Amino acid sequence: MKRIYLDYAATTPTDPEVIKAMQPYFFEKFGNPSSIHTFGQEAKKAIEDARETLAKFLGAKAEEIVFTAGGTEADNFAIAGAAYALEDKGRHIITTGIEHHAVTEPCKFLEKRGFKITFVGVDKYGLVDPADIKQAITDKTILISVMHANNEIGTIEPIAQIGEIAQEKEIYFHTDAVQTVGHIPVDVNALRVNLLSLSAHKFYGPKGVGALYIRKGTRLMKFLHGGDQEKGRRASTHNTSGIVGLGKAIELCQEKMPEEAEFQKKLRDKLIKEVFAKIPEVYLNGHPEIRLPNNANFSIKYIEGESILINLDMLGIAASTGSACTSTSLEPSSVLLAIGLSPEIAHGSLRVTLGRWTKEKDIDYLLGHLPGIAQKLRAMSPLYEKK
Ligand SMILES: *Cc1c(COP(=O)(O)O)cnc(C)c1O
């Protein structure tokens, strides 16, 4: 059966060029980068090259990059690390109601340990108002964390404006840029952040490797105590092949990003236009323009997102309802509730995310089947009958 992957926001396939770049670091160049001998030094050089590539991409300095085991670790390191480094100054953190679990869970963990967390709301498009952030600031605020773009609805947040507020008040500012790095331009100075998280598997790199950008002078408590890797900020032998893969993936994105974003946006807009034309009573979730070029998120009234996914999967189409992390629970997505959808409408959500290997015929295939699936499921829906 033909299989079509339209779930790039959950993870991406690893680019074959990335795999090729990683390969030597498993056998020929397997040395421990902390070793003095040539095996070690060639691994160390590869890591430092990747660090340089990533730093340049972000407008940062190489020494401001710490490699981690993915986006979740980078988020935890930024949030709990800043909280415990600055707790003498204050114990108040500001974040939003639409963050990824990798941000909300460390915040809730800190809340149980005496920190005060303010979860700022968003408007119907999922946009955070910088004025709301400003208003939430107290003399105890030590950290603000707002995601660059939302992983479910694709809305891109006004990070630079919030950064300006944070900078003025001298409060650390973190952004989870896991959905944007490799997809749209990300510059740590333009965004005015102290801390920025990213993850290789969201931009055609391998899973289990990411990075935290830490602006020079930003104090963080470290989590992994052991060797003095990463200038003492994170112990553990480097994931050399993973880091090399991350570097190669960034290099490819640097080159391909403008064209890819434009092509994906074109296909996405066609998808949105045709879905509206072919299916009655659908809504687009997220901002109509200020959104990731590869994201479309619909609510199809009267039916369940899970049923749509199962029907699509039987046709070989992989999409998502809400985020992959919540796909095992039947609770409606907290992001969709935060933008004001009723639980019934939130349940009928379908996220379609495009990527490097998405073809126009893939979108046409989806468009050929989705209206029929919606009609079939509505015919069986008690909600639809009562209308
Ligand atoms: C995927 C994702 C994460 C988690 O990254 P991992 O590398 O999978 O741990 C964090 N934040 C956002 C917005 C994500 O999309």
Side-chain angles (χ1 to χ4, degrees), residues 9-10 69-73 75 100 102 147 149 151 176 178-179 199 201-202:
T72 301
E73 186 192 323
D75 284 342
H100 190 274
M147 71 199 318
N151 47 297
D176 174 338
V178 174
Q179 285 291 329
S199 177
H201 79 95
K202 302 287 174 78

Side-chain angles (χ1 to χ4, degrees), residues 348-360:
S349 84
L350 174 69
R351 181 186 71 182
V352 179
T353 45
L354 288 58
R356 186 164 289 168
W357 292 280
T358 307
K359 306 272 185 300
E360 182 154 17

